[in-house]
C-alpha cells in the first residue's frame, strides 16, 4: 500500500509542477472525496472532477504565489488494508520572510488501486498550525488556500 501511496504522491507532485491535473485522473476513483477540516479553508469535495478542480484552485491561488514549496509525508504507515496515514508537512518560502510551515494529520484510502478518499485534518490547537495562521495574516493576508 505504501508503494501505491508513493505513486500517488509522485503523480501529484508532477501535476503541481506541470499544472496538468489530468495526469491524476487514472489514479483517482470516479467517486473520490477530499475532506479538509480544522482550517479556515475546510471543505468536502465529492467526485473526481471536483477533487481535481479543488487541487487546481488551491495550488493556483496559494502555492504558486510562493518562491518555493515542499510537501512531504512524515510518519507514513499502512494503517489498515487499503489505508495509509501520516502527517502531510508543508514548507513554503516567500522572499526573505521566515519560512511558513505546518502539518496536517492525513489519511489516504485506496480502492482497486485508485485513491478513493483523502482527508487532511489540521489541529488548530497545535503550535505549528497556530503559527502558520499568524504568518499568513502577517505576511500574505490576500492568499487563498481554499479548495472550493
Amino acid at each position: 500500500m505504501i508503494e501505491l501511496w508513493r505513486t500517488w504522491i509522485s503523480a501529484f507532485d508532477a501535476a503541481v509542477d506541470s499544472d496538468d491535473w489530468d495526469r491524476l485522473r487514472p489514479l483517482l476513483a470516479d467517486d473520490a472525496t477530499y475532506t479538509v477540516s480544522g482550517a479556515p479553508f475546510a471543505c468536502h469535495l465529492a467526485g473526481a472532477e471536483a477533487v481535481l478542480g479543488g487541487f487546481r484552485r488551491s495550488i493556483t491561488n496559494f502555492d504558486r504565489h510562493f518562491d518555493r514549496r515542499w510537501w512531504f509525508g512524515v510518519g507514513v504507515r499502512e494503517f489498515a488494508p487499503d489505508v495509509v496515514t501520516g502527517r502531510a508537512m508543508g514548507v513554503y518560502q516567500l522572499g526573505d520572510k521566515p519560512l511558513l510551515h505546518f502539518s496536517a494529520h492525513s489519511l489516504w484510502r485506496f480502492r482497486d488501486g485508485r485513491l478513493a478518499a483523502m482527508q487532511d485534518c489540521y489541529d488548530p490547537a497545535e503550535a505549528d498550525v497556530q503559527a502558520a495562521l499568524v504568518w499568513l495574516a502577517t505576511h500574505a493576508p490576500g492568499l487563498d488556500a481554499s479548495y472550493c
Side-chain angles (χ1 to χ4, degrees):
M1 201 48 46
I2 297 294
E3 195 55 42
L4 187 55
W5 174 82
R6 284 187 182 117
T7 298
W8 166 259
I9 294 300
S10 178
F12 185 88
D13 289 342
V16 169
D17 290 343
S18 68
D19 203 29
D20 176 10
W21 296 95
D22 290 335
R23 74 185 325 141
L24 292 177
R25 191 69 186 87
L27 301 174
L28 202 57
D30 292 338
D31 61 347
T33 61
Y34 179 46
T35 304
V36 177
S37 61
F41 50 91
C43 69
H44 177 76
L45 302 172
E49 296 313 314
V51 171
L52 292 174
F55 290 157
R56 178 181 287 115
R57 182 186 196 294
S58 183
I59 296 295
T60 298
N61 294 332
F62 187 78
D63 297 58
R64 296 213 189 286
H65 292 272
F66 288 87
D67 301 323
R68 294 187 66 190
R69 71 181 281 285
W70 301 269
W71 271 96
F72 48 93
V74 177
V76 174
R77 66 187 181 100
E78 188 170 332
F79 180 72
D82 298 327
V83 177
V84 173
T85 63
R87 291 185 71 86
M89 180 75 185
V91 180
Y92 292 80
Q93 181 180 26
L94 182 61
D96 61 354
K97 294 171 179 40
L99 291 177
L100 167 64
H101 58 88
F102 51 88
S103 63
H105 298 273
S106 297
L107 179 142
W108 298 266
R109 183 179 309 277
F110 295 90
R111 182 178 66 237
D112 299 326
R114 299 166 83 189
L115 185 66
M118 184 174 154
Q119 297 172 321
D120 287 331
C121 303
Y122 294 89
D123 184 346
E126 291 182 355
D128 67 323
V129 174
Q130 292 173 4
L133 293 172
V134 170
W135 190 101
L136 289 167
T138 303
H139 299 293
L143 293 186
D144 180 11
S146 65
Y147 295 87
C148 48

